[in-house]
Amino acid sequence: MVRPLLRAEGLFKSFGALQATCNVSLAVRAGEIHALIGPNGAGKTTLLGQLSGELKPDSGKIEFDGKDITRLPVHKRALLGLARSYQITSVFERLTVRDNILLAIQAHCGHSFRFWRNARTDPQLCENLEAALTRVDLEKRSYLPAGRLSHGEKRQLEVGMALAGNPQMLLLDEPYAGLGPGGTVKLTELIQTLRPQTTIFLVDHDMTVVFGLADRITVLDYGMIVAQGTPDEIRADKAVRTAYLGKETARC
């Protein structure tokens, strides 16, 4: 069996009396789009925070590309090739699209503290910049301040910034939140172009998008995994229907 790119085993995380994740184990294969779904309050954001390094699990283990990263901070995970975008769009709105992506490239290339050099004229950085702009289809908007972009374009920019370091895996936290039909189509096209070069772990509430994109799906409810499988298997799973209908589920 091929070793998964990301593996989580027995993750527990509590906030006081609240058990946010309870014995969560999952594996994400290289090159796939793996979706995480569940009702509001199921523990999805807490699990994503543990995978990205923003939250430390109370117990359990996380491996990435065969390395134990359970206690590694966010920036060290990023350097290993694990990147994340956020539910709330986070870009530098007064800077241009180009400068937003350039800052992300600098952070990954180790240029961040070369203050005596003009980053905008650095040949290596500029080459990577143009490639990144093309990848997220923002070449024609690149000289605009990021604050003038539509919400959907800001999502594209944020994905472009996350991709600046050519990560092996991208964690997407509700990227479709707040998007209209046009933005949804555009972002879906972008995510499709990323496979199979970039493994994607997608958290979202848009079931049409999730079932259309994902190779495999994990369902979380009350902090516990209640189902894992292909989209067809998840559609047919009684535990999934129970979770979404709001019936009582056994707690940890």
Side-chain angles (χ1 to χ4, degrees):
M1 187 182 210
V2 178
R3 183 183 69 193
L5 180 60
L6 178 72
R7 183 198 300 274
E9 295 180 357
L11 296 184
F12 285 84
K13 183 66 181 179
S14 296
F15 299 98
L18 175 65
Q19 185 78 58
T21 55
C22 176
N23 197 28
V24 170
S25 297
L26 59 84
V28 181
R29 303 165 186 161
E32 76 173 351
I33 296 179
H34 191 121
L36 176 69
I37 64 173
N40 288 330
K44 301 184 297 297
T45 297
T46 299
L47 175 57
L48 200 64
Q50 291 172 83
L51 298 179
S52 67
E54 290 167 293
L55 291 173
K56 297 293 186 291
D58 297 331
S59 61
K61 183 178 180 180
I62 304 169
E63 290 184 352
F64 181 70
D65 199 17
K67 303 177 183 68
D68 186 343
I69 64 169
T70 310
R71 300 299 165 186
L72 284 185
V74 175
H75 70 280
K76 290 189 176 180
R77 297 188 195 203
L79 292 175
L80 288 176
L82 183 61
R84 178 183 177 177
S85 75
Y86 291 84
Q87 182 177 352
I88 299 174
T89 303
S90 180
V91 299
F92 298 101
E93 299 211 347
R94 294 187 180 183
L95 296 182
T96 66
V97 171
R98 300 177 70 86
D99 285 346
N100 268 274
I101 293 183
L102 194 58
L103 282 172
I105 294 172
Q106 282 181 295
H108 285 280
C109 291
H111 290 253
S112 300
F113 300 102
R114 297 181 185 176
F115 295 119
W116 59 90
R117 295 179 61 179
N118 187 343
R120 294 188 181 95
T121 60
D122 185 299
Q124 180 186 353
L125 294 182
C126 288
E127 181 180 351
N128 293 339
L129 170 62
E130 296 305 327
L133 288 168
T134 299
R135 196 173 191 186
V136 295
D137 195 25
L138 286 175
E139 312 100 296
K140 295 179 181 179
R141 311 284 279 170
S142 67
Y143 287 99
L144 285 178
R148 290 180 57 187
L149 298 179
S150 69
H151 181 61
E153 288 171 332
K154 288 179 182 178
R155 286 294 190 195
Q156 291 171 242
L157 174 56
E158 191 174 41
V159 171
M161 293 169 70
L163 292 171
N166 294 315
Q168 294 186 69
M169 184 171 179
L170 182 58
L171 308 175
L172 296 177
D173 187 5
E174 298 196 28
Y176 290 90
L179 292 186
T184 295
V185 170
K186 194 74 175 177
L187 184 59
T188 298
E189 291 173 349
L190 170 57
I191 292 174
Q192 289 279 24
T193 66
L194 299 179
R195 71 160 95 205
Q197 293 87 358
T198 307
T199 303
I200 294 173
F201 189 75
L202 169 69
V203 179
D204 213 90
H205 287 286
D206 190 325
M207 294 298 100
T208 300
V209 167
V210 166
F211 281 89
L213 276 175
D215 299 300
R216 290 192 302 137
I217 299 172
T218 294
V219 185
L220 205 63
D221 191 28
Y222 290 115
M224 297 179 288
I225 290 178
V226 296
Q228 295 188 84
T230 66
D232 286 342
E233 290 169 338
I234 295 301
R235 282 191 188 97
D237 195 289
K238 292 182 179 178
V240 176
R241 291 199 295 271
T242 298
Y244 277 93
L245 287 172
K247 294 180 181 178
E248 186 64 25
T249 302
R251 295 175 182 264
C252 185

